Amino acid sequence: MIPRLRRYTGTPSDLEEVIAPLIAVYAEVREPLLHLPNYSVPTFTERLERHGREPGFGAVLAFDTEDRPVGYAYGNTVESGDRWWKRMGDVDARFTGRPALALKEIGVTAPYRGTGLARRIHDELLAGRSEAYVSLMVNAAAGGGKVQRVYESWGYAVIGTSRPSPDSPVLAAMIRPTTTG
């Protein structure tokens, strides 16, 4: 059966409801990396709680037939002076001059990889957003470059690099319009 999607916003009740299942599915998706400081569950939890309080927070979770979380994406609105952009260096003002959606995390559990679920979650997160652009950061080495190529197939283009923290690898910063076509 096709997983059902559930959208969450930045309201206190939504944030309280989304944290536990989002952490659970994150831990499963990122399990091979959890020993690294930047990917540890406590580090992720701190980031999630901070991002959840920031303007424009939104999340989409996918649940299987037994109501287990099997995929997720979340992000929030970033303005021109936000640290999101500052970490990328000199980014074209057409992208940073107005609010954008920063896609902070996306992932699906192993049984759902390659099924189109990540794209469904992504598109649901973008649906109805008022921002003109969506930006994300990806480890260009992830999956031997496969992950970045997936984002490119979704319409993203590299606009720079970023290293969000000392424990983080150098990431490719990517962007695309929130709506395409």
Side-chain angles (χ1 to χ4, degrees):
M1 186 163 176
I2 298 173
R4 67 178 174 80
L5 303 183
R6 171 115 195 257
R7 178 186 288 273
Y8 299 85
T9 64
T11 65
S13 62
D14 262 9
L15 190 56
E16 187 175 311
E17 187 177 337
V18 75
I19 285 189
L22 213 157
I23 291 169
V25 71
Y26 169 87
E28 186 173 345
V29 168
R30 304 284 186 233
E31 193 277 329
L33 302 171
L34 295 179
H35 66 284
L36 300 171
N38 191 55
Y39 291 95
S40 74
V41 170
T43 299
F44 172 74
T45 301
E46 181 275 323
R47 280 194 311 259
L48 173 60
E49 289 173 347
R50 180 175 25 111
H51 294 153
R53 292 186 301 268
E54 292 176 345
F57 176 82
V60 173
L61 267 67
F63 295 90
D64 67 11
T65 57
E66 296 177 21
D67 211 31
R68 292 180 303 225
V70 295
Y72 68 96
Y74 83 84
N76 61 279
T77 304
V78 292
E79 301 283 346
S80 64
D82 192 275
R83 70 181 182 276
W84 179 263
W85 299 119
K86 289 178 182 178
R87 287 184 277 198
M88 293 179 199
D90 192 21
V91 177
D92 191 318
R94 71 184 153 138
F95 302 130
T96 64
R98 54 188 165 168
L101 174 63
L103 177 57
K104 302 288 178 82
E105 280 278 344
I106 185 169
V108 296
T109 59
Y112 292 93
R113 292 182 188 143
T115 68
L117 180 58
R119 181 66 189 259
R120 278 186 57 219
I121 294 168
H122 170 273
D123 291 353
E124 180 65 21
L125 181 67
L126 271 55
R129 297 294 302 210
S130 63
E131 300 90 350
Y133 291 98
V134 56
S135 176
L136 59 79
M137 297 181 199
V138 62
N139 182 342
K146 180 181 176 185
V147 177
Q148 182 173 329
R149 287 191 301 276
V150 166
Y151 293 135
E152 289 167 347
S153 77
W154 294 358
Y156 286 88
V158 174
I159 57 168
T161 60
S162 177
R163 188 167 191 180
S165 73
D167 295 326
S168 171
V170 174
L171 305 174
M174 303 183 81
I175 201 159
R176 64 159 258 194
T178 52
T179 58
T180 59

